[in-house]
Amino acid sequence: MADNEMYALHVNGTRHEVADAWIGESLLYVLRERLGLLGSKGACEQGECGSCSVLVDDELVCSCLVLAASAVGQAIVTIEGIAPHGAPSDVQRAFVECGAVQCGFCTPGLIMATHALLERTPQPTGSEIREELSGNICRCTGYGRIIEAVQRVAVWRSIEP
Amino acid sequence: MSVLIPATLAQALSALDDAPSSMVLAGGTDAMVEINGGHRRPDSVIAVGRLAELRTWTHDVISATLRIGAAVTYAELEADQFRRWVPALSQAARTVGSPQIRHAATLGGNVATCSPAGDGLPALSALDAIVHLVSITGQRSVPFAEFMVGPKRTSLRPGELIEAITVPVFAGWQGYAKVGVRNAMVISNAGACLAVDDEGGVRLALGSVGPTIIRCSQAEAFAATVVDHGQRAVSEADAVEFGRVAASEARPIDDHRSTADYRRHAIAVLSRRLLRRAFPNG
């Protein structure tokens, strides 16, 4: 692929063509500015804050550190695709119920990270939650309510898997 | 700028031969920071992160070695099998960035960037890792100590890429410790890897305290005279002296992340602790 050559990305189960774009753009930039998917947030653009977390082939990554054109052929899931039927996911409900959302900027990244964590580790310990969410920075909550929300989802899923 | 996602290693090498100035992109966690910041605008990119040839590892029981493909990620290196084979490297893997970073970042990428603060590198130095390089004209294997020639400077030649890294699988204790401002998502201000080899030698390698990873030949020689392998013992006084010698071998600088004095102090503490973990009795 060369400069401004069209390529296609598979995002949330849909094929999206990316045309007239500079080939060096990050996946985050393409999601937001080319595809209009504004849920993933851009803050640090160096992988420090986690606000842009998405799944690429089921792995949680910072979309700001993925060269969009190198993700051709991979399955990308963003916050817009985490609850496909319009209703919030259990993780999203728990974040709301627990007051884990304040300004909301970090929330999409934390929701993605929590989904990824609970897929791998359905019943995480407190330290596992802290380690797995360590790449997502929240400057409002102090994290207590976020950790509580993760634990609440784990309980819900253990009762009703 | 062009982007190639090669299907095979041969295709990647051919493209690199055609355009030796291409950026070889693996996990992207270093490269994209430079591109996003406008510090680097490569004419062409060869994305090798999904190449099957670089995504494999082989544990050879007979030679007690582990060959790790360059595009194996740090998340993969955290897994149980690597924790058994190369505990120090696996431990170092867990300290790299965040889960998001570790899912993308590769061992080969860490070696290619070759920052003195690269968390995987002290383990590769302590283990006397071999870096396997490949180009369209052939292969060569270089000891890690000869591969890293300065801060972010390597002996990689145009047209070459890193195919794999081989490390020995030792039976003895090994570990990695680092100091930074957080437990997670932090670049090391000082780091140390200690490994006990199969001849009973104590090996110590330091990160973030010099232009390259530093092997502490004096501290290693001192350890040989004071540790008791049978009892897995060392005295506290000898462990403190080991740390002092290691700190004297460090060559730290003041920079925006820390000071030379603090780094030297941290090396003394980390080295003493690692030796005591390896030899907890006495």
PDB file of all heavy atoms in Angstrom, chain B residues 233-245:
ATOM      1  N   ALA B 233      23.277 -20.013  50.399  1.00  0.00           N
ATOM      2  CA  ALA B 233      23.478 -19.014  51.451  1.00  0.00           C
ATOM      3  C   ALA B 233      24.494 -17.960  51.051  1.00  0.00           C
ATOM      4  O   ALA B 233      25.444 -18.231  50.308  1.00  0.00           O
ATOM      5  CB  ALA B 233      23.943 -19.702  52.732  1.00  0.00           C
ATOM      6  N   VAL B 234      24.264 -16.752  51.584  1.00  0.00           N
ATOM      7  CA  VAL B 234      25.249 -15.674  51.529  1.00  0.00           C
ATOM      8  C   VAL B 234      24.998 -14.817  52.767  1.00  0.00           C
ATOM      9  O   VAL B 234      23.850 -14.679  53.210  1.00  0.00           O
ATOM     10  CB  VAL B 234      25.122 -14.855  50.220  1.00  0.00           C
ATOM     11  CG1 VAL B 234      23.842 -14.036  50.173  1.00  0.00           C
ATOM     12  CG2 VAL B 234      26.329 -13.948  50.027  1.00  0.00           C
ATOM     13  N   SER B 235      26.067 -14.265  53.331  1.00  0.00           N
ATOM     14  CA  SER B 235      25.856 -13.420  54.514  1.00  0.00           C
ATOM     15  C   SER B 235      25.328 -12.058  54.078  1.00  0.00           C
ATOM     16  O   SER B 235      25.563 -11.618  52.945  1.00  0.00           O
ATOM     17  CB  SER B 235      27.175 -13.247  55.276  1.00  0.00           C
ATOM     18  OG  SER B 235      28.025 -12.363  54.568  1.00  0.00           O
ATOM     19  N   GLU B 236      24.633 -11.404  55.015  1.00  0.00           N
ATOM     20  CA  GLU B 236      24.099 -10.075  54.711  1.00  0.00           C
ATOM     21  C   GLU B 236      25.243  -9.106  54.380  1.00  0.00           C
ATOM     22  O   GLU B 236      25.143  -8.312  53.447  1.00  0.00           O
ATOM     23  CB  GLU B 236      23.264  -9.562  55.903  1.00  0.00           C
ATOM     24  CG  GLU B 236      22.659  -8.183  55.717  1.00  0.00           C
ATOM     25  CD  GLU B 236      21.658  -8.067  54.544  1.00  0.00           C
ATOM     26  OE1 GLU B 236      21.141  -9.111  54.097  1.00  0.00           O
ATOM     27  OE2 GLU B 236      21.435  -6.933  54.072  1.00  0.00           O
ATOM     28  N   ALA B 237      26.348  -9.219  55.126  1.00  0.00           N
ATOM     29  CA  ALA B 237      27.479  -8.304  54.888  1.00  0.00           C
ATOM     30  C   ALA B 237      28.048  -8.501  53.481  1.00  0.00           C
ATOM     31  O   ALA B 237      28.363  -7.527  52.783  1.00  0.00           O
ATOM     32  CB  ALA B 237      28.567  -8.532  55.929  1.00  0.00           C
ATOM     33  N   ASP B 238      28.149  -9.755  53.042  1.00  0.00           N
ATOM     34  CA  ASP B 238      28.670 -10.009  51.694  1.00  0.00           C
ATOM     35  C   ASP B 238      27.683  -9.535  50.622  1.00  0.00           C
ATOM     36  O   ASP B 238      28.091  -9.065  49.553  1.00  0.00           O
ATOM     37  CB  ASP B 238      28.983 -11.497  51.513  1.00  0.00           C
ATOM     38  CG  ASP B 238      30.245 -11.920  52.267  1.00  0.00           C
ATOM     39  OD1 ASP B 238      31.097 -11.043  52.524  1.00  0.00           O
ATOM     40  OD2 ASP B 238      30.363 -13.109  52.600  1.00  0.00           O
ATOM     41  N   ALA B 239      26.390  -9.667  50.918  1.00  0.00           N
ATOM     42  CA  ALA B 239      25.390  -9.190  49.955  1.00  0.00           C
ATOM     43  C   ALA B 239      25.467  -7.672  49.816  1.00  0.00           C
ATOM     44  O   ALA B 239      25.355  -7.131  48.711  1.00  0.00           O
ATOM     45  CB  ALA B 239      23.981  -9.621  50.386  1.00  0.00           C
ATOM     46  N   VAL B 240      25.690  -6.986  50.930  1.00  0.00           N
ATOM     47  CA  VAL B 240      25.833  -5.526  50.892  1.00  0.00           C
ATOM     48  C   VAL B 240      27.070  -5.140  50.068  1.00  0.00           C
ATOM     49  O   VAL B 240      27.028  -4.235  49.233  1.00  0.00           O
ATOM     50  CB  VAL B 240      25.926  -4.946  52.328  1.00  0.00           C
ATOM     51  CG1 VAL B 240      26.345  -3.468  52.299  1.00  0.00           C
ATOM     52  CG2 VAL B 240      24.591  -5.107  53.051  1.00  0.00           C
ATOM     53  N   GLU B 241      28.159  -5.875  50.282  1.00  0.00           N
ATOM     54  CA  GLU B 241      29.390  -5.597  49.532  1.00  0.00           C
ATOM     55  C   GLU B 241      29.176  -5.857  48.029  1.00  0.00           C
ATOM     56  O   GLU B 241      29.654  -5.093  47.180  1.00  0.00           O
ATOM     57  CB  GLU B 241      30.538  -6.453  50.087  1.00  0.00           C
ATOM     58  CG  GLU B 241      31.866  -6.312  49.357  1.00  0.00           C
ATOM     59  CD  GLU B 241      32.467  -4.902  49.378  1.00  0.00           C
ATOM     60  OE1 GLU B 241      31.969  -4.040  50.136  1.00  0.00           O
ATOM     61  OE2 GLU B 241      33.419  -4.649  48.601  1.00  0.00           O
ATOM     62  N   PHE B 242      28.437  -6.932  47.723  1.00  0.00           N
ATOM     63  CA  PHE B 242      28.093  -7.243  46.328  1.00  0.00           C
ATOM     64  C   PHE B 242      27.369  -6.048  45.698  1.00  0.00           C
ATOM     65  O   PHE B 242      27.692  -5.618  44.578  1.00  0.00           O
ATOM     66  CB  PHE B 242      27.205  -8.484  46.310  1.00  0.00           C
ATOM     67  CG  PHE B 242      26.696  -8.894  44.949  1.00  0.00           C
ATOM     68  CD1 PHE B 242      27.521  -9.523  44.025  1.00  0.00           C
ATOM     69  CD2 PHE B 242      25.367  -8.676  44.599  1.00  0.00           C
ATOM     70  CE1 PHE B 242      27.041  -9.920  42.779  1.00  0.00           C
ATOM     71  CE2 PHE B 242      24.869  -9.067  43.356  1.00  0.00           C
ATOM     72  CZ  PHE B 242      25.715  -9.685  42.456  1.00  0.00           C
ATOM     73  N   GLY B 243      26.419  -5.485  46.421  1.00  0.00           N
ATOM     74  CA  GLY B 243      25.681  -4.325  45.930  1.00  0.00           C
ATOM     75  C   GLY B 243      26.590  -3.124  45.729  1.00  0.00           C
ATOM     76  O   GLY B 243      26.473  -2.389  44.738  1.00  0.00           O
ATOM     77  N   ARG B 244      27.535  -2.936  46.685  1.00  0.00           N
ATOM     78  CA  ARG B 244      28.456  -1.799  46.587  1.00  0.00           C
ATOM     79  C   ARG B 244      29.339  -1.928  45.341  1.00  0.00           C
ATOM     80  O   ARG B 244      29.543  -0.960  44.603  1.00  0.00           O
ATOM     81  CB  ARG B 244      29.328  -1.721  47.852  1.00  0.00           C
ATOM     82  CG  ARG B 244      30.069  -0.399  48.014  1.00  0.00           C
ATOM     83  CD  ARG B 244      31.181  -0.483  49.055  1.00  0.00           C
ATOM     84  NE  ARG B 244      32.236  -1.432  48.682  1.00  0.00           N
ATOM     85  CZ  ARG B 244      33.155  -1.217  47.753  1.00  0.00           C
ATOM     86  NH1 ARG B 244      33.174  -0.077  47.090  1.00  0.00           N
ATOM     87  NH2 ARG B 244      34.074  -2.133  47.469  1.00  0.00           N
ATOM     88  N   VAL B 245      29.838  -3.136  45.109  1.00  0.00           N
ATOM     89  CA  VAL B 245      30.694  -3.358  43.935  1.00  0.00           C
ATOM     90  C   VAL B 245      29.889  -3.141  42.651  1.00  0.00           C
ATOM     91  O   VAL B 245      30.362  -2.492  41.710  1.00  0.00           O
ATOM     92  CB  VAL B 245      31.329  -4.773  43.968  1.00  0.00           C
ATOM     93  CG1 VAL B 245      32.125  -5.028  42.695  1.00  0.00           C
ATOM     94  CG2 VAL B 245      32.206  -4.944  45.204  1.00  0.00           C
TER      95      VAL B 245
END
